[in-house]
Amino acid sequence: MGQTRRTFLKLAGAAGLGAAAAPRALDAAQSRSKTVASRGNGNGAKELPRNMTFCTLRREGRLVLGIRTPRGILDVEKAGKALRRPAPSTIDEVLHGTDAQALKALVDAAVANGSAKAAFVPEDQAPFGPCVTNPEKIMMLGYNYKQHVAEMKIPVPQSPLLFNKYNNALNWHGGVINLPQKVANQFDYEVELVVVMGKTARDVPKEKALDYVFGYCVGNDFSARDLQFKTSQLMLGKTSDGFGPIGPWLVTADQIPDVQKLQLQTHVNGALRQNSNTDDMIFDVKTIISYASQIWTLKPGDIFFTGTPEGVILGKPEDQQVWLKAGDVVVTSIEKLGDLRITLAPAQQA
């Protein structure tokens, strides 16, 4: 590596560091989502949805809104047409101000009404997309778990270490990461709690920060470690195409009574690699939101990856570091939020 991890951390602190190739469906959906968002009030829903579990479905070259129900995943757009009710087509519309009560009424009607039967998709057959499709900002935290800092043998950060991914990194449950093997070979997993903002937030005090959260999902901050430490910035090893899987579910915040008491795990080819709890965070979720909101304005749909716990390949002694490879299946899981599965594949030919 071009730098040691210790050297990187010193540089980061001094500088204030703050799918697979994204398919045409994702690009097109993001373009349409921007148009929808521009029609909204910019502040998110007046009333955030409650007791709902959202997802995104890939359908006919588009990314459309899904909601988990006892009958399966409801394709909301199809249900709206079947029941002749107005309905949001995308998760972006929900994040930017869809009437939560009207949406809940549509879901209830679809579950009860046989005429909407064709709008339901069995979960085991669902073609998922990323559960958030067009975040203005993808914000990342480094070194935010006590045991992870210990395994890395580095000082405990005195303030959140922030960096970023881009939308090209977005990926989904059941997706593929085509490994950029021409430039890297040290591929690693990172299970992370992902926080999705639901309201515009600026200079938010910690005690109010969670009021601005739409919901939570599972993330995998997939990383190329040899690229990560090639420069003093983390970004290079973090934002290749498909390196930011999220989902399958976006669970509304009210269903998670204590976000600092959630178990996180990673399995690689069925073997347990990470097993921790969000109570080991150095900077909790409300602190992260409050801190970032003092630096820039947070918008509905912005997402935070909140750091990974111990158990990553990078944290092992060098003679025990067996990096991920094409063919591996990585499942990251968080209590109450579900399992996120990704398969690794060779680089695609240009």
Side-chain angles (χ1 to χ4, degrees):
M1 296 183 193
Q3 290 182 296
T4 65
R5 295 188 290 271
R6 187 176 298 276
T7 300
F8 162 77
L9 190 65
K10 290 179 180 177
L11 288 170
L17 263 182
R24 293 188 182 91
L26 179 54
D27 292 341
Q30 288 172 342
S31 177
R32 281 188 289 269
S33 293
K34 290 175 183 176
T35 301
V36 169
S38 70
R39 296 198 296 264
N41 59 23
N43 295 315
K46 293 180 181 178
E47 178 186 358
L48 295 178
R50 295 179 58 84
N51 196 31
M52 301 182 79
T53 298
F54 296 91
C55 67
T56 292
L57 300 171
R58 289 174 288 124
R59 173 164 61 78
E60 299 170 352
R62 301 171 56 217
L63 295 175
V64 298
L65 179 66
I67 295 179
R68 196 180 197 183
T69 80
R71 291 184 59 183
I73 298 172
L74 180 69
D75 183 320
V76 175
E77 185 179 63
K78 283 187 175 181
K81 291 178 179 178
L83 299 175
R84 298 183 179 180
R85 293 183 178 220
S89 298
T90 68
I91 187 63
D92 222 46
E93 291 182 61
V94 178
L95 290 164
H96 286 273
T98 291
D99 184 337
Q101 293 301 321
L103 180 58
K104 181 65 165 59
L106 170 63
V107 174
D108 290 344
V111 170
N113 193 322
S115 64
K117 182 179 179 180
F120 289 93
V121 180
E123 288 186 13
D124 60 357
Q125 299 175 25
F128 288 99
C131 62
V132 177
T133 59
N134 188 42
E136 180 183 271
K137 294 181 282 295
I138 302 177
M139 297 159 284
M140 316 294 296
L141 258 77
Y143 307 113
N144 194 37
Y145 279 74
K146 301 180 186 72
Q147 293 302 313
H148 179 47
V149 167
E151 75 175 348
M152 301 299 294
K153 299 179 175 60
I154 57 177
V156 175
Q158 298 305 299
S159 61
L161 295 177
L162 294 169
F163 60 100
N164 66 293
K165 286 185 189 278
Y166 297 114
N167 284 2
N168 68 294
L170 291 174
N171 208 329
W172 50 79
H173 174 63
V176 173
I177 296 176
N178 295 112
L179 302 174
Q181 296 160 312
K182 289 184 178 180
V183 293
N185 56 43
Q186 296 179 352
F187 301 109
D188 205 350
Y189 48 78
E190 291 191 6
V191 60
E192 303 206 11
L193 172 71
V194 175
V195 180
V196 180
M197 299 301 295
K199 297 179 180 179
T200 298
R202 178 73 188 185
D203 292 324
V204 174
K206 285 197 291 186
E207 60 270 20
K208 298 289 187 180
L210 297 185
D211 295 344
Y212 292 79
V213 174
F214 182 95
Y216 305 99
C217 63
V218 183
N220 182 351
D221 177 17
F222 197 82
S223 305
R225 301 301 190 183
D226 35 1
L227 290 178
Q228 177 178 331
F229 294 104
K230 192 172 183 178
T231 72
S232 63
Q233 303 292 319
L234 284 167
M235 186 196 72
L236 194 62
K238 297 286 191 171
T239 197
S240 292
D241 295 341
F243 271 32
I246 54 174
W249 312 113
L250 172 53
V251 178
T252 54
D254 63 291
Q255 299 181 73
I256 309 298
D258 189 348
V259 71
Q260 300 305 149
K261 291 193 179 298
L262 297 174
Q263 185 181 30
L264 310 89
Q265 292 186 332
T266 296
H267 289 82
V268 177
N269 301 328
L272 181 64
R273 298 290 186 88
Q274 291 183 281
N275 188 18
S276 186
N277 195 287
T278 56
D279 64 7
D280 192 50
M281 282 187 184
I282 296 168
F283 304 103
D284 61 15
V285 171
K286 61 185 179 182
T287 299
I288 295 165
I289 294 170
S290 177
Y291 178 84
S293 77
Q294 296 173 50
I295 303 168
W296 50 69
T297 300
L298 302 175
K299 301 286 189 65
D302 284 351
I303 62 179
F304 285 96
F305 282 67
T306 56
T308 198
E310 75 278 10
V312 296
I313 300 171
L314 183 63
K316 298 180 182 299
E318 287 192 16
D319 61 353
Q320 298 178 27
Q321 291 177 342
V322 180
W323 303 104
L324 299 174
K325 63 187 184 306
D328 286 342
V329 177
V330 181
V331 179
T332 47
S333 308
I334 300 180
E335 180 183 358
K336 302 182 186 299
L337 302 181
D339 302 330
L340 170 63
R341 185 184 75 254
I342 288 291
T343 301
L344 309 184
Q348 291 182 324
Q349 298 299 312

